[in-house]
Amino acid sequence: MSEPDELLSDLLAWGHGLKGFKREHASEALHGGSLFLMGVEDKYGRMIQGIGTQNKQAGHAFILDMAMLFWLDDCFDEQILEQHELDAIGEVLSGKSPASTVEAERYLALLDLLAAQAGSDADFALVRESGTAYYRALQAEAHLSSGKREMSYAEYLDNGIDSIAFMRVLASLSALWGLDISVRRECPHFLRFLRHLCLVGRLQNDLHSLNKDRREACAANAVLVVERFLPGAPALAFVEEELRGYERLLDKDMEDLAPDDPFRRLAEIFRRMRELYYSTSRERYQTATACCNRTAWL
């Protein structure tokens, strides 16, 4: 059995017994996570260097983390878990209480695995912080779709910075590969880069999944939020122009980073992965579900 097949088997074994864990969560984590590790060619054929595959334990932990992010996204979107089961995961992520369900126990085991391999306590603290923010952002989007909460466009974008999960992914990579993101975040220019990267990802995701979200009555989409105030085609045009503006801001942010800066490379990989992912209209955007089944970070 090849190493990717072995890892896929390990991921499926980890997910066994978790409500709603699918082969898709494992296979897409393996595919996307491998690009962060090994790199990917840009549209001009230039190789964007990945973070490295020399540490297999770190690589496996990272891809497992990605699989659990996909699964948690679908737990909200497809209403897989009861409310008390979701609450149990949130409490584990925030460190408020011990695990009280199988799903919370599995997430606690994942956090323990990441903590054991983290290069610094500060970076692991950001893993926990960004993971909690991701959970709360998904919860807020679920409340928006169910009518339990209203959001202005500004509030939706602010929440979307966390719901796209880019910060959680970068925190995990930094903790496992010693990139010191907790230190880098002290720089205002770097924080701006992170914000623009997340906003670009959120708006790209929303534009790609718009028809699906509209069909499934999922209100957690930038265009649908704007349509409350600007109906029809102008709402779509507005969000498309917003995306172009944030892309220009992100381009400038990336130009200010050194060419070999690992976070610049990771941002380039993020952008290339989305180009490849969206161009093929993969299954996560085609299969109808109970609510807005959207990829969290691709």
Side-chain angles (χ1 to χ4, degrees), residues 187-241:
C187 171
H189 294 293
F190 188 75
L191 275 179
R192 185 177 62 193
F193 154 73
L194 293 176
R195 180 176 182 273
H196 291 156
L197 177 65
C198 293
L199 287 172
V200 166
R202 178 73 276 155
L203 293 179
Q204 282 186 328
N205 185 286
D206 285 3
L207 287 168
H208 186 79
S209 63
L210 175 59
N211 291 336
K212 187 175 190 301
D213 290 344
R214 192 188 301 280
R215 184 174 64 249
E216 296 171 6
C218 173
N221 184 295
V223 178
L224 301 180
V225 171
V226 173
E227 281 185 352
R228 291 165 50 203
F229 312 98
L230 190 66
L236 176 60
F238 173 81
V239 174
E240 289 174 337
E241 182 57 29

Side-chain angles (χ1 to χ4, degrees), residues 128-147:
R128 186 181 285 277
E129 175 189 321
S130 57
T132 301
Y134 174 61
Y135 171 89
R136 290 174 177 167
L138 293 179
Q139 187 176 58
E141 288 189 349
H143 288 166
L144 175 64
S145 284
S146 66

Side-chain angles (χ1 to χ4, degrees), residues 69 72 76 90 93-94 125-141 158-165 167-168 185:
L69 288 177
L72 184 59
F76 279 97
L93 288 171
S94 61
L126 187 56
V127 169
R128 186 181 285 277
E129 175 189 321
S130 57
T132 301
Y134 174 61
Y135 171 89
R136 290 174 177 167
L138 293 179
Q139 187 176 58
E141 288 189 349
D158 189 65
N159 188 74
I161 290 172
D162 292 322
S163 70
I164 198 64
M167 269 304 305
R168 179 64 179 75
R185 272 168 36 106

Side-chain angles (χ1 to χ4, degrees), residues 66-281:
M66 298 304 95
M68 292 294 282
L69 288 177
F70 279 130
W71 169 76
L72 184 59
D73 181 40
D74 280 352
C75 284
F76 279 97
D77 287 348
E78 300 181 18
Q79 302 173 20
I80 292 168
L81 301 181
E82 299 293 334
Q83 188 57 54
H84 77 277
E85 294 172 318
L86 284 172
D87 291 342
I89 294 175
E91 290 169 0
V92 162
L93 288 171
S94 61
K96 290 182 178 178
S97 66
S100 58
T101 66
V102 170
E103 290 75 23
E105 287 176 356
R106 204 69 54 88
Y107 239 111
L108 182 58
L110 172 62
L111 289 173
D112 288 343
L113 178 63
L114 294 173
Q117 297 192 39
S120 75
D121 291 341
D123 271 13
F124 177 70
L126 187 56
V127 169
R128 186 181 285 277
E129 175 189 321
S130 57
T132 301
Y134 174 61
Y135 171 89
R136 290 174 177 167
L138 293 179
Q139 187 176 58
E141 288 189 349
H143 288 166
L144 175 64
S145 284
S146 66
K148 295 179 181 178
R149 174 174 178 172
E150 290 188 358
M151 286 188 193
S152 68
Y153 180 68
E155 290 170 318
Y156 177 78
L157 285 189
D158 189 65
N159 188 74
I161 290 172
D162 292 322
S163 70
I164 198 64
F166 283 6
M167 269 304 305
R168 179 64 179 75
V169 174
L170 291 175
S172 180
L173 286 165
S174 183
L176 293 169
W177 273 268
L179 304 182
D180 293 327
I181 192 173
S182 55
V183 175
R184 297 286 300 272
R185 272 168 36 106
E186 295 176 5
C187 171
H189 294 293
F190 188 75
L191 275 179
R192 185 177 62 193
F193 154 73
L194 293 176
R195 180 176 182 273
H196 291 156
L197 177 65
C198 293
L199 287 172
V200 166
R202 178 73 276 155
L203 293 179
Q204 282 186 328
N205 185 286
D206 285 3
L207 287 168
H208 186 79
S209 63
L210 175 59
N211 291 336
K212 187 175 190 301
D213 290 344
R214 192 188 301 280
R215 184 174 64 249
E216 296 171 6
C218 173
N221 184 295
V223 178
L224 301 180
V225 171
V226 173
E227 281 185 352
R228 291 165 50 203
F229 312 98
L230 190 66
L236 176 60
F238 173 81
V239 174
E240 289 174 337
E241 182 57 29
E242 284 276 281
L243 173 57
R244 286 189 286 269
Y246 282 121
E247 286 180 323
R248 290 191 293 268
L249 290 170
L250 178 58
D251 287 340
K252 186 178 184 304
D253 295 334
M254 292 173 64
E255 288 173 2
D256 292 338
L257 298 175
D260 61 345
D261 188 310
F263 289 101
R264 176 172 177 163
R265 300 201 318 268
L266 289 171
E268 290 175 345
I269 291 173
F270 265 126
R271 298 179 87 171
R272 181 56 176 157
M273 286 171 66
R274 292 196 304 275
E275 288 175 359
L276 296 172
Y277 197 91
Y278 294 155
S279 67
T280 55
S281 298

